[in-house]
Amino acid sequence: MDKIFGNNVEKLKSEGGYITSSEIYNQPSVWRDTFKIVESKRDELKAFLNPILNKKDLKIIFTGAGTSGFIGDTVVPSIKKKLNLDVESLHTTDIVADPEAYLKKDIPTLLISFARSGNSPESVATIKLAEDLVDELYQIVITCNKDGKLAKNINPKTDKSIILPEESNDKGFAMTSSYTSMVLSSLMIFDLENLDNKKKDINKLFTIGEELLDDTEMIESISNSNFKKIVYLGAGAFYGLARESSLKLLELTQGDIVTKYDTPLGFRHGPKSIMDDQTLIVMYLSRDEYTRKYEIDLLKELYNPDSKYKVLAVSETYSEEVDDLSHYHIALNESELKLDKAYLAIDYVIVPQVISVLKSLGTGINPDNPSPDGSVNRVVKGVSIYPYNK
């Protein structure tokens, strides 16, 4: 391959950006390996989860720090509806700061921890706090690093770990394939009974991702436009995706581009004040008919064919109405997949990932190491964890 996302590969290798660009581009291959790993553990995971999910008053917590926290934000709305249980996404940075607000002694708890490196201080501390505070604790660790503290400290006799493909342990600064692979694996874990029926559509999802990554001409054009602010909007599972999208651009441009995330309904309540002529608004559209009514209403409110600010709509299937209400429209497929909409996040997120890496390069920043002064690090530094006395 001579170019990735319109950039010369040799130039990227010599000047920076090749690691992040290639990790974004290679995601579908990592997803296929992730699918095989979870599929191979299906019986083991069923035997572990089924009795736990029948526990009275069970609480399920999805947790992680930064992007790893946004994984829970992305998958929990769908899993919560499916299980009809108390399911929450709680970031380790919140749990560590106020443990007893979230960890309850007498409530059986399934803690699902996400980690790229498995070495973030808050993630390690959250597990220790849960073990100390919760009488009946069960754990699943989903990580991209077999040598990380989370992977090594899990008790294989009582808990489960899922070590994702080595390629998911992004070498670049930003979490890209690690985010999408952990989203995929967590959705699969709570869809084990249906994997055979859904395998065809999941593979189609991977193919759609490949096609999107091979045809980034529109995304390249958007990235070359002169926006200095970007707002990502999404409801339900796509709210977590909007948070991740916003962070990616913020990280890779060292804050040079102002980023914001919200829900379509929440955007009117003050955050809309951010809009000016140099703003790009990205809306992730749901297939849900009820939710979509609110999204379409906002598109009608925002869209002006002559405005200098621009609206990009990302949807699963093409819609003439959406096309008429946006400056740019990216539709993934000709028909809906028979998958929960949260699965779509792994394809939708390609759009902000590519925008982020291209905008980083366009501002003269090396996306592989956007913070060379060490003020922000691939694995967070400078965090002191203090003893917690119950």
Side-chain angles (χ1 to χ4, degrees):
M1 185 192 308
D2 296 327
K3 289 187 175 183
I4 305 179
F5 313 139
N7 288 303
N8 182 275
V9 166
E10 292 306 316
K11 185 177 180 181
L12 289 172
K13 287 180 177 179
S14 62
E15 297 182 10
Y18 175 73
I19 294 172
T20 305
S21 298
S22 61
E23 287 176 339
I24 293 170
Y25 184 79
N26 291 328
Q27 285 176 108
S29 173
V30 182
W31 302 340
R32 289 188 170 92
D33 290 340
T34 296
F35 184 94
K36 291 174 184 175
I37 288 171
V38 178
E39 188 179 38
S40 71
K41 289 178 169 285
R42 177 164 41 182
D43 292 342
E44 176 187 339
L45 287 167
K46 278 185 187 178
F48 176 74
L49 278 171
N50 287 346
I52 296 173
L53 296 179
N54 287 318
K55 295 277 183 183
K56 185 180 179 182
D57 299 325
L58 178 72
K59 183 182 183 72
I60 303 176
I61 297 175
F62 289 78
T63 192
T67 289
S68 293
F70 301 150
I71 297 163
D73 294 343
T74 304
V75 303
V76 159
S78 297
I79 293 173
K80 190 180 184 76
K81 283 190 282 189
K82 181 179 297 183
L83 294 181
N84 196 29
L85 290 170
D86 183 4
V87 185
E88 284 192 274
S89 174
L90 298 171
H91 293 209
T92 59
T93 46
D94 292 328
I95 295 172
V96 168
D98 192 2
E100 290 189 66
Y102 308 107
L103 302 172
K104 304 299 182 183
K105 175 181 174 64
D106 299 324
I107 297 179
T109 301
L110 172 61
L111 185 70
I112 301 174
S113 299
F114 298 108
R116 173 172 64 173
S117 72
N119 293 319
S120 294
E122 300 96 336
S123 296
V124 176
T126 290
I127 287 180
K128 178 66 166 60
L129 286 164
E131 290 171 345
D132 289 345
L133 292 174
V134 180
D135 286 345
E136 191 176 349
L137 179 70
Y138 309 92
Q139 294 191 67
I140 298 176
V141 166
I142 303 176
T143 181
C144 307
N145 182 15
K146 62 181 175 56
D147 297 318
K149 292 178 181 177
L150 259 62
K152 287 190 170 184
N153 292 347
I154 198 80
N155 185 339
K157 293 181 180 179
T158 57
D159 303 313
K160 294 295 174 187
S161 63
I162 299 175
I163 311 299
L164 297 182
E166 176 60 30
E167 292 78 10
S168 70
N169 188 12
D170 308 301
K171 302 303 183 288
F173 177 89
M175 288 179 64
T176 54
S177 65
S178 50
Y179 168 79
T180 52
S181 297
M182 286 191 276
V183 166
L184 173 64
S185 58
S186 55
L187 289 169
M188 288 178 64
I189 287 168
F190 289 93
D191 212 4
L192 295 171
E193 298 291 345
N194 301 307
L195 282 188
D196 289 337
N197 293 333
K198 293 186 176 182
K199 189 170 184 176
K200 181 179 178 180
D201 279 325
I202 291 174
N203 279 312
K204 175 63 176 173
L205 188 73
F206 301 162
T207 300
I208 292 169
E210 287 174 328
E211 292 168 350
L212 183 58
L213 287 160
D214 281 330
D215 184 12
T216 57
E217 186 175 344
M218 181 183 290
I219 305 174
E220 291 169 36
S221 175
I222 294 168
S223 302
N224 289 330
S225 62
N226 190 33
F227 67 83
K228 294 296 291 181
K229 299 178 182 178
I230 187 165
V231 180
Y232 289 100
L233 302 175
F238 299 152
Y239 176 67
L241 172 62
R243 296 190 72 179
E244 165 59 10
S245 303
S246 176
L247 177 63
K248 219 42 50 208
L249 188 62
L250 188 70
E251 287 179 321
L252 293 186
T253 64
Q254 288 186 301
D256 185 67
I257 306 296
V258 177
T259 67
K260 177 71 181 172
Y261 61 87
D262 214 313
T263 62
L265 282 172
F267 187 55
R268 292 187 183 92
H269 291 259
K272 191 180 172 187
S273 305
I274 196 174
M275 287 178 59
D276 61 19
D277 288 348
Q278 292 184 305
T279 304
L280 174 67
I281 300 161
V282 182
M283 190 180 300
Y284 299 120
L285 292 172
S286 173
R287 70 159 75 112
D288 182 88
E289 185 177 346
Y290 179 76
T291 305
R292 200 176 176 96
K293 292 179 188 294
Y294 295 105
E295 296 166 343
I296 295 296
D297 280 352
L298 185 59
L299 283 179
K300 289 177 180 177
E301 180 180 324
L302 293 176
Y303 179 67
N304 178 342
D306 300 320
S307 64
K308 291 186 178 179
Y309 70 81
K310 302 298 179 185
V311 177
L312 164 61
V314 183
S315 62
E316 181 179 7
T317 59
Y318 175 81
S319 160
E320 185 174 348
E321 181 181 28
V322 171
D323 208 51
D324 290 341
L325 292 173
S326 55
H327 299 91
Y328 310 102
H329 181 199
I330 295 175
L332 297 183
N333 197 27
E334 294 178 357
S335 59
E336 289 183 0
L337 299 173
K338 296 181 178 67
L339 297 171
D340 189 282
K341 69 178 182 181
Y343 278 97
L344 297 174
I346 70 171
D347 278 346
Y348 274 18
V349 80
I350 289 170
V351 175
Q353 287 176 347
V354 175
I355 288 175
S356 297
V357 74
L358 292 180
K359 209 64 178 173
S360 177
L361 290 165
T363 53
I365 294 170
N366 176 4
D368 297 340
N369 184 25
S371 186
D373 64 356
S375 57
V376 185
N377 300 280
R378 182 179 177 275
V379 180
V380 71
K381 296 180 180 179
V383 178
S384 298
I385 300 297
Y386 301 100
Y388 186 74
N389 299 314
K390 294 186 279 184

